[in-house]
Amino acid sequence: MIDFELSPKMRATQKMLRIFAENAMRPVARQYDEQEHEKPLELIKMVHGFMKGGIGGPAPAGDKKEEGDKKKKKSEVNFATAVTVEEIFWGDAGVALAFPGEGLGGAAIHATGTPEQKERFLSRFKGDEPVWGAMAITEPEAGSDSANIKTTAVRDGDEWILNGEKIFVTSGKSALEDSKGLVVVWATVDPKAGRAGIKPFVVEHGTPGMQITKVEDKLGIRCSDTVSISFMDCRIPADNILGSPEITDLSKKTTSGFKGVMKTFDATRPMVSAMAIGVGRAALDFLKETLAKEGLEVRYEISPNRMTSIERDIAELEANLKAARLLTWRAVWMLDNGERNSLEASMAKAKAGLVVTQVTQKCVELLGPLGYSRKLLLEKWMRDAKINDIFEGTGQIQMLITARNVLGFGRDKLK
Amino acid sequence: MVSFSPSEEQAMIKETIASFATDQIEPLARECDEAGEVKEELIKTGWELEIIPSSLPEEYGGFGESPSAVTGCIAFEELAHGDLSTAMHVLSATTPAYALFLYGTDEQKKQHLPAFCGEEFKAAATAIVEPRYFFDASSLSTTATRDGEEYVIKGEKCFVPLAPESEHILVFATTNPGAGFASVDAFLVPKDAENLVIGEREKNMGMKALATYEVSLNDVRVPLSSKIGEEAGIDYLKLLSRSRLALASLALGMMRKAAENSRDYAKERIAFGEPIGSRQTIAFMIAEMFIEVDATRMLIWEAAWKCDRGEEFAKDAALAKNYAAQKCMKICDGAVQVMGGHGYVRENMPELWFRNASAFSSLEGIVMV
């Protein structure tokens, strides 16, 4: 049955998060935009208190199978995360990204780790102190082209030795310097094996041979740290490789190797869409409230031909934002039902990433000099929004994935 | 709990209509357009899908309960995936039938509804659109003025489908000009009423197989009992919104067809030694088409779901319809573009979809879920 009603529990969570976002996040949003590289420690402790394990740690479809649940069980885990993410990003994207928890590292562990590894690596996020997880995939010469990873992992007895440089690691400093966290590093065990040789490794904080070499200054999401990490003969235990160390036979349906990256993205991309929608809704809500104070109500039901230009703009932005949300919901619903959602996840992210940049930019434009002023948060939202069309795969990459799926073309036929 | 799965019944309806659309409607779409009429056999088979009887209760000759907007949207998408003119023709009686069922008095329902559940196709026209610039369904120019035991209706209508073959025409008119949606009522006017003039068949850019007419009402007098719902009247905005969902679903069906056509062509057409779909400039057009087809369907489904639950859905339906109209035009334009010159010639379908697509921005009311 087609149904769009959130469960009562989810609605209650949504309501609670909304109050939290409005009262605890909005008031500090500007401060931590201007004081880049500082964290709202009080808020983080509080968040850790009521959300141990954190947000942004979606559980991909694979998890349920391992629990021996043969009958498809309806889960709402990813859906609940998407709803949560939208609310707190409505509060503030920068602050929300600085919240502790499993993060992308957790997502990769969920997607590729064995049950034993999940237990070993993820339990720390439920402790008393806030802990961050991060994921390192991008390199100076390999951004969207993540199959071209140069970082190497060489087996030496009971250890793996990592060498290479990673950039744009979200929460890398939080995970490795500010807490007893971890980073999942994607490296190749055999450069000749191409994509199949790329494997995920867990590197824990304090591991010798790993060093943060740069903390980025950014356009937006300034409360969240983005770092470069250098690995120089960094030794980690042999069983820190997630999943199987075998170079995967691509004809087999396994999730190790580069497929693990893709599976991680299937879970994280809809969450980035939810982030985008939260920011977009913040801007649109503000615009509508401001105009309502000026006595302008949008007449949605009349013909667009007779709407004012501003009414037409708002109606269009609203429809686009709603469409993006529904595409996102579909992608996470599929994930919760154990269905393959790579296409739908990319569709949602392509749409949401684009829509949020358009929504926030239009809102700034429509509110004129006040929209542009740092007295309001609107200009910040416009800067924050832009990242959603970039991280976890740019809008162009999402279009490429969508096109390949729709056309049935592999990488060889559609470059 | 949120779910994107149609029910078993909905899946079955979708499948039945899809095979009719693919096997029978689609192969005749071009011929219908060129001939300017929908083939008799398609009207017959289309009517036999029993879309209206399945939405009306037994006492009026049907075998359902009440029209479900979600099910209607799923069905309408599939019909238009075959051909828009044929879908419009087959569905043209939905507005009078559902307006009567939802707001008619018991007597009106008993008198009129069984005819919509018969074996023979029943033409029943709806006159809502008006031939003027910036037409807006929220402010109709056609007026209905009470005069003793009668209403006097005055105004010009256009895009009235199947007017000459209809027994009655459902005319939407305002009883209080300038008072917006709340002032609009619907009147079941006999086609041969005095001072009602059905004009020449209209010549439109697209949907050429659908016969539409201008209708002039020059002080047409009808009894009070011809007003749907009599004293209580109708909820015009709700009817309009149900109609917007219907139109949006038809736009969706056609644009989906256009997107699929573009995809198939881009895979086969070789240029510079490889399929044109191997170039991002074409591939991204096609990716966007498919994203927007799904996005449009989500907007429609959510609004229809609200409608079925009895929630406010007028805003959602308007957003969905305007979105569908825009995306339909964009995708059908893209479908011509992907094929280049081959898309521009009448030997291929995209030029037909391109002409059809432009109708959605101005159409209102003539079909309903």
Side-chain angles (χ1 to χ4, degrees), chain A residues 268-309:
Chain A
T268 56
R269 281 176 175 157
M271 297 312 161
V272 174
S273 309
M275 294 174 186
I277 293 154
V279 178
R281 206 185 77 211
L284 198 54
D285 282 355
F286 181 78
L287 175 68
K288 282 166 71 180
E289 280 161 25
T290 307
L291 293 174
K293 281 181 202 154
E294 306 277 326
L296 191 143
E297 293 287 343
V298 181
R299 298 165 299 168
Y300 294 98
E301 294 91 357
I302 69 168
S303 163
N305 289 342
R306 289 185 61 246
M307 288 181 185
T308 61
S309 154

XYZ file of all heavy atoms in Angstrom, chain A residues 268-309:
320
model
N 24.925 6.151 2.169
C 25.239 7.518 2.601
C 24.666 8.587 1.665
O 24.356 9.680 2.104
C 26.761 7.734 2.701
O 27.357 7.430 1.440
C 27.362 6.839 3.767
N 24.504 8.250 0.398
C 24.021 9.277 -0.533
C 22.615 9.773 -0.191
O 22.365 10.982 -0.226
C 24.109 8.763 -1.973
C 25.536 8.861 -2.463
C 25.757 8.290 -3.843
N 27.154 8.564 -4.209
C 27.837 7.877 -5.106
N 27.273 6.877 -5.750
N 29.088 8.201 -5.376
N 21.691 8.866 0.142
C 20.374 9.396 0.534
C 20.450 10.260 1.791
O 19.642 11.168 1.961
C 19.544 8.134 0.807
C 20.232 7.040 0.090
C 21.690 7.396 0.083
N 21.429 9.985 2.662
C 21.563 10.809 3.863
C 22.048 12.214 3.492
O 21.629 13.194 4.086
C 22.528 10.171 4.864
C 22.057 8.831 5.385
S 20.318 8.850 5.931
C 19.955 7.098 5.896
N 22.941 12.294 2.506
C 23.371 13.618 2.048
C 22.176 14.347 1.421
O 22.003 15.560 1.591
C 24.547 13.518 1.052
C 24.890 14.887 0.484
C 25.761 12.914 1.737
N 21.329 13.610 0.726
C 20.112 14.229 0.181
C 19.261 14.787 1.315
O 18.731 15.890 1.214
C 19.269 13.216 -0.593
O 20.051 12.539 -1.523
N 19.139 14.012 2.383
C 18.340 14.478 3.525
C 18.962 15.725 4.141
O 18.254 16.653 4.550
C 18.214 13.365 4.563
N 20.292 15.773 4.177
C 20.982 16.979 4.671
C 20.602 18.177 3.801
O 20.254 19.249 4.290
C 22.507 16.796 4.584
C 23.079 15.735 5.474
S 24.868 15.537 5.122
C 25.212 14.116 6.164
N 20.675 17.959 2.504
C 20.377 19.029 1.552
C 18.965 19.556 1.776
O 18.729 20.764 1.821
C 20.535 18.516 0.124
N 18.037 18.636 1.947
C 16.643 19.023 2.093
C 16.426 19.825 3.377
O 15.672 20.789 3.407
C 15.744 17.770 2.033
C 15.824 17.177 0.623
C 14.301 18.105 2.376
C 15.539 15.700 0.567
N 17.143 19.425 4.443
C 17.047 20.177 5.698
C 17.474 21.626 5.506
O 16.778 22.557 5.930
N 18.608 21.830 4.845
C 19.107 23.189 4.617
C 18.151 23.960 3.694
O 17.814 25.128 3.943
C 20.524 23.162 3.997
C 21.019 24.574 3.719
C 21.500 22.430 4.913
N 17.700 23.300 2.657
C 16.782 23.953 1.718
C 15.494 24.363 2.399
O 14.970 25.456 2.167
N 14.993 23.493 3.257
C 13.745 23.805 3.949
C 13.950 24.973 4.919
O 13.075 25.819 5.081
C 13.240 22.579 4.711
C 11.738 22.600 4.898
C 11.288 21.431 5.757
N 11.568 21.682 7.152
C 11.865 20.748 8.064
N 11.945 19.487 7.699
N 12.085 21.076 9.305
N 15.115 25.030 5.543
C 15.400 26.152 6.447
C 15.257 27.466 5.682
O 14.600 28.403 6.146
C 16.809 26.012 7.026
N 15.874 27.522 4.513
C 15.855 28.760 3.723
C 14.447 29.085 3.244
O 13.996 30.235 3.325
C 16.803 28.621 2.534
N 13.742 28.081 2.776
C 12.404 28.316 2.242
C 11.422 28.709 3.352
O 10.601 29.614 3.177
C 11.924 27.055 1.512
C 10.765 27.231 0.546
C 11.064 28.306 -0.477
C 10.473 25.914 -0.162
N 11.530 28.049 4.506
C 10.691 28.415 5.658
C 10.915 29.879 6.011
O 9.972 30.632 6.247
C 11.054 27.571 6.895
C 10.464 26.166 6.817
O 9.713 25.882 5.859
O 10.770 25.346 7.711
N 12.184 30.262 6.062
C 12.516 31.633 6.447
C 11.940 32.631 5.441
O 11.351 33.638 5.808
C 14.036 31.810 6.551
C 14.437 33.189 6.967
C 14.351 33.571 8.299
C 14.858 34.120 6.028
C 14.691 34.865 8.682
C 15.194 35.413 6.404
C 15.114 35.786 7.740
N 12.100 32.307 4.164
C 11.584 33.193 3.117
C 10.068 33.359 3.255
O 9.543 34.472 3.211
C 11.938 32.626 1.738
C 11.356 33.379 0.540
C 11.998 34.756 0.413
C 11.566 32.595 -0.751
N 9.392 32.235 3.442
C 7.930 32.291 3.516
C 7.448 33.045 4.762
O 6.504 33.828 4.690
C 7.343 30.876 3.488
C 7.327 30.313 2.071
C 7.092 28.837 2.042
C 5.671 28.456 2.416
N 5.506 26.984 2.363
N 8.135 32.815 5.878
C 7.766 33.534 7.102
C 7.979 35.028 6.935
O 7.149 35.847 7.348
C 8.610 33.045 8.285
C 8.111 31.740 8.879
C 9.183 31.046 9.722
O 10.086 31.741 10.229
O 9.116 29.803 9.832
N 9.101 35.388 6.320
C 9.405 36.802 6.122
C 8.350 37.455 5.227
O 7.862 38.545 5.520
C 10.806 36.963 5.478
O 11.727 36.235 6.266
C 11.220 38.410 5.399
N 7.998 36.771 4.168
C 7.009 37.343 3.249
C 5.624 37.390 3.888
O 4.858 38.323 3.645
C 6.968 36.529 1.956
C 8.251 36.633 1.111
C 8.178 35.682 -0.075
C 8.506 38.052 0.640
N 5.326 36.402 4.726
C 4.018 36.402 5.401
C 3.897 37.633 6.288
O 2.838 38.247 6.377
C 3.850 35.125 6.210
N 5.021 37.996 6.932
C 5.012 39.207 7.768
C 4.739 40.447 6.931
O 4.219 41.438 7.420
C 6.348 39.356 8.499
C 6.458 38.448 9.718
C 7.799 38.650 10.410
C 8.133 37.424 11.260
N 9.594 37.266 11.430
N 5.146 40.397 5.676
C 4.895 41.521 4.767
C 3.505 41.410 4.138
O 3.155 42.166 3.237
C 5.941 41.549 3.648
C 7.372 41.549 4.118
C 7.862 42.942 4.488
O 7.434 43.909 3.837
O 8.654 43.054 5.451
N 2.763 40.412 4.563
C 1.391 40.264 4.070
C 1.268 39.467 2.789
O 0.223 39.488 2.139
N 2.339 38.761 2.405
C 2.246 38.002 1.168
C 2.006 36.520 1.434
O 2.831 35.847 2.055
C 3.535 38.165 0.357
C 3.457 37.636 -1.078
C 4.249 38.525 -2.013
C 3.967 36.196 -1.192
N 0.853 36.030 1.013
C 0.574 34.594 1.100
C 0.606 34.045 -0.316
O 0.079 34.657 -1.245
C -0.821 34.358 1.708
C -0.952 34.757 3.171
C -0.247 33.797 4.137
O 0.070 32.668 3.726
O 0.003 34.223 5.294
N 1.220 32.907 -0.473
C 1.310 32.319 -1.808
C -0.027 31.681 -2.170
O -0.570 30.885 -1.405
C 2.435 31.268 -1.867
C 2.546 30.682 -3.269
C 3.754 31.875 -1.430
N -0.557 32.043 -3.325
C -1.818 31.439 -3.793
C -1.483 30.253 -4.690
O -1.482 30.358 -5.909
C -2.638 32.504 -4.546
C -3.050 33.700 -3.667
C -3.518 34.864 -4.507
N -2.455 35.356 -5.405
C -2.664 36.208 -6.411
N -3.868 36.666 -6.669
N -1.648 36.594 -7.165
N -1.204 29.127 -4.045
C -0.745 27.949 -4.783
C -1.760 27.438 -5.794
O -1.409 26.858 -6.798
C -0.449 26.799 -3.810
C 0.700 27.057 -2.884
C 0.479 27.512 -1.591
C 2.015 26.848 -3.305
C 1.533 27.742 -0.725
C 3.069 27.080 -2.448
C 2.819 27.527 -1.160
O 3.869 27.758 -0.312
N -3.062 27.613 -5.482
C -4.090 26.932 -6.265
C -4.535 27.688 -7.512
O -5.264 27.136 -8.326
C -5.311 26.631 -5.390
C -5.044 25.631 -4.279
C -4.596 26.301 -2.979
O -4.448 27.540 -2.969
O -4.378 25.590 -1.983
N -4.123 28.960 -7.637
C -4.533 29.670 -8.850
C -3.600 29.296 -10.007
O -2.577 28.650 -9.803
C -4.559 31.211 -8.645
C -3.148 31.766 -8.487
C -5.437 31.572 -7.452
C -3.092 33.284 -8.563
N -3.983 29.701 -11.203
C -3.146 29.393 -12.358
C -1.799 30.108 -12.240
O -1.743 31.273 -11.862
C -3.854 29.857 -13.632
O -2.914 29.928 -14.682
N -0.710 29.403 -12.569
C 0.608 30.050 -12.536
C 0.640 31.320 -13.395
O 1.414 32.235 -13.117
C 1.541 28.983 -13.101
C 0.848 27.693 -12.865
C -0.618 27.986 -12.945
N -0.217 31.351 -14.404
C -0.263 32.541 -15.266
C -0.660 33.802 -14.507
O -0.378 34.900 -14.943
C -1.280 32.349 -16.397
C -0.800 31.354 -17.411
O 0.386 31.054 -17.462
N -1.716 30.839 -18.215
N -1.372 33.620 -13.414
C -1.833 34.794 -12.674
C -1.122 34.983 -11.347
O -1.441 35.891 -10.591
C -3.356 34.733 -12.490
C -4.075 34.969 -13.819
C -5.579 35.045 -13.658
N -6.014 36.123 -12.804
C -6.616 35.946 -11.610
N -6.807 34.746 -11.149
N -7.008 36.973 -10.922
N -0.159 34.121 -11.072
C 0.630 34.322 -9.857
C 1.606 35.471 -10.085
O 1.981 35.751 -11.223
C 1.456 33.070 -9.551
C 0.657 31.884 -9.061
S 1.809 30.510 -8.737
C 0.655 29.214 -8.340
N 2.020 36.095 -8.985
C 3.115 37.047 -9.106
C 4.400 36.241 -9.300
O 4.439 35.041 -9.045
C 3.265 37.887 -7.823
O 3.551 36.993 -6.746
C 2.003 38.664 -7.512
N 5.426 36.941 -9.737
C 6.693 36.268 -9.995
C 7.219 35.578 -8.730
O 7.731 34.463 -8.764
C 7.685 37.305 -10.516
O 8.985 36.925 -10.235
